[in-house]
Amino acid sequence: MIRQKSFEKDGAALYLVATPIGNLEEMTPRAVSVLKEADVIAAEDTRNTGKLLKHFEIGTKMIAYHLFNEEESAEGIIKLLKEGKKVAVVSDAGYPLLSDPGQTVTNKASECGFPVVVVNGPNACLSALVGSGLPAQPFTFYGFLGSKKSERVKALKKLEKHEETLVFYEAPHRIGKMLEDCLEVLGDRRMCLARELTKIHEEFIRGTVSEVLEIADGLKGEMVVVMEGYRPEEETLKSEDWMTVIENYIAAGESKSSAIRKTAERFGISKNEIYKEYFNKDHE
Ligand code: SAM
């Protein structure tokens, strides 16, 4: 067991600093001061972070911290901490560690007895989840499903009966293929595609997987897919006759239109479709 008091001593510490995911106005004053006061900033991409530092007039020295040489980069950071330095880790956007480098150095620093301090800020997963309209808890953040179909299908099969809301990151050139796999393995669930969060072209596309799939290939920019979790009651619903469900709602005192709306929501089908069939069956 390792217990850490983050602010007991003013000495060497590792700061995990969240940075904007698009909109620079989301850089927090605390992030600016921690980055200014750090002795070194370990960045996923020093060119990208260089632009951020320039914008906020932060003159701190930078070193590179990549995913592909995380072990080696982490050793370098531990050496700096042992020299009494304050080191801030940043990724290109959002939180380090979340689909980004930072795990190895966090563990090593903690094992060596250095405080690991998180400096909060923007994050694509939470923004998408909160704006999606789907249940915000419990949820599972999955990150990227993988670039190969076989990887994605394997991962999705494990999540097929998972009842929590699922959050995936995806690249725009793969979104069509990824949604096809979701449709195939998870079925036509409710979902939300959140695109270009915090930026000028921010968009939330809420619908079913098949609806979003129809327009997916034309979508550009950074995106997050929020997917409804498995609903065991759907299995029962599928076998249920929705006409009976409407009649039951009406018998329970609902108006016709409210009964139709509720039934449409319950079955995940359009109100119009239900209206058409209902009134065709002599319910005028
Ligand atoms: N560390 C970041 C975080 O805390 O959100 C995530 C980094 S991950 C390498 C990059 C992925 O995050 C993108 O491919 C996209 O799925 C998602 N993402 C990042 N910024 C986004 C934005 N502004 N709008 C939508 N998705 C975004």
Side-chain angles (χ1 to χ4, degrees):
M1 184 173 78
I2 302 167
R3 283 180 75 175
Q4 168 195 318
K5 294 274 192 183
S6 295
F7 306 113
E8 223 160 46
K9 288 183 269 176
D10 181 32
L14 185 77
Y15 294 88
L16 304 173
V17 183
T19 56
I21 58 168
N23 188 333
L24 288 180
E25 287 183 16
E26 290 194 341
M27 182 78 170
T28 67
R30 185 177 179 215
V32 173
S33 65
V34 167
L35 292 180
K36 275 190 176 161
E37 284 158 27
D39 297 296
V40 177
I41 297 171
E44 181 189 8
D45 182 327
T46 50
R47 263 189 317 172
N48 277 343
T49 300
K51 289 180 205 152
L52 183 79
L53 300 193
K54 191 162 174 239
H55 182 89
F56 290 99
E57 298 175 349
I58 299 167
T60 311
K61 179 185 161 204
M62 267 193 292
I63 57 168
Y65 181 81
H66 303 293
L67 201 54
F68 65 84
N69 68 349
E70 233 190 313
E71 194 67 36
E72 208 180 302
S73 310
E75 286 305 334
I77 293 173
I78 298 300
K79 197 161 160 270
L80 291 168
L81 291 171
K82 285 183 176 162
E83 288 166 12
K85 303 257 167 46
K86 290 187 169 80
V87 182
V89 174
V90 294
S91 66
D92 279 354
Y95 281 70
L97 277 86
L98 295 181
S99 294
D100 269 337
Q103 183 76 57
T104 308
V105 71
T106 298
N107 282 335
K108 282 189 193 288
S110 165
E111 280 160 16
C112 293
F114 297 107
V116 176
V117 181
V118 180
V119 179
N120 288 308
N123 161 247
C125 163
L126 288 181
S127 305
L129 176 69
V130 168
S132 70
L134 291 165
Q137 68 279 312
F139 79 93
T140 295
F141 170 61
Y142 193 89
F144 291 96
L145 275 166
S147 55
K148 293 195 197 118
K149 182 178 175 75
S150 55
E151 278 177 279
R152 291 194 296 270
V153 168
K154 191 171 164 204
L156 286 168
K157 283 203 165 137
K158 284 196 192 148
L159 297 168
E160 200 183 341
K161 300 270 155 131
H162 198 73
E163 292 181 28
E164 299 180 5
T165 302
L166 301 164
V167 186
F168 302 105
Y169 284 166
E170 195 46 278
H173 66 276
R174 269 200 310 257
I175 190 70
K177 298 226 170 315
M178 182 263 195
L179 290 179
E180 275 171 20
D181 298 335
C182 288
L183 188 60
E184 188 183 309
V185 181
L186 306 178
D188 203 9
R189 303 184 179 182
R190 287 193 301 154
M191 64 160 284
C192 172
L193 188 150
R195 198 172 71 79
E196 293 289 87
L197 291 163
T198 78
K199 305 183 207 174
I200 194 89
H201 296 298
E202 176 176 293
E203 184 181 23
F204 287 87
I205 307 170
R206 304 180 182 95
T208 59
V209 180
S210 60
E211 284 168 345
V212 181
L213 188 53
E214 274 179 36
I215 57 157
D217 279 339
L219 297 174
K220 294 198 171 63
E222 298 196 276
M223 46 191 72
V224 181
V225 169
V226 185
M227 188 70 67
E228 181 177 45
Y230 172 68
R231 290 167 63 205
E233 68 274 18
E234 293 267 293
E235 302 285 315
T236 335
L237 277 176
K238 274 182 207 147
S239 60
E240 227 175 339
D241 167 17
W242 57 254
M243 201 68 83
T244 315
V245 174
I246 296 182
E247 301 293 1
N248 288 344
Y249 274 131
I250 293 170
E254 297 283 346
S255 68
K256 268 186 198 169
S257 63
S258 146
I260 288 173
R261 182 178 46 77
K262 286 192 171 170
T263 308
E265 279 168 11
R266 213 166 133 179
F267 282 82
I269 41 183
S270 85
K271 257 193 318 192
N272 287 346
E273 199 181 316
I274 295 200
Y275 265 111
K276 247 194 279 162
E277 279 212 41
Y278 184 76
F279 289 111
N280 272 346
K281 289 206 174 166
D282 286 345
H283 287 99
E284 296 285 357

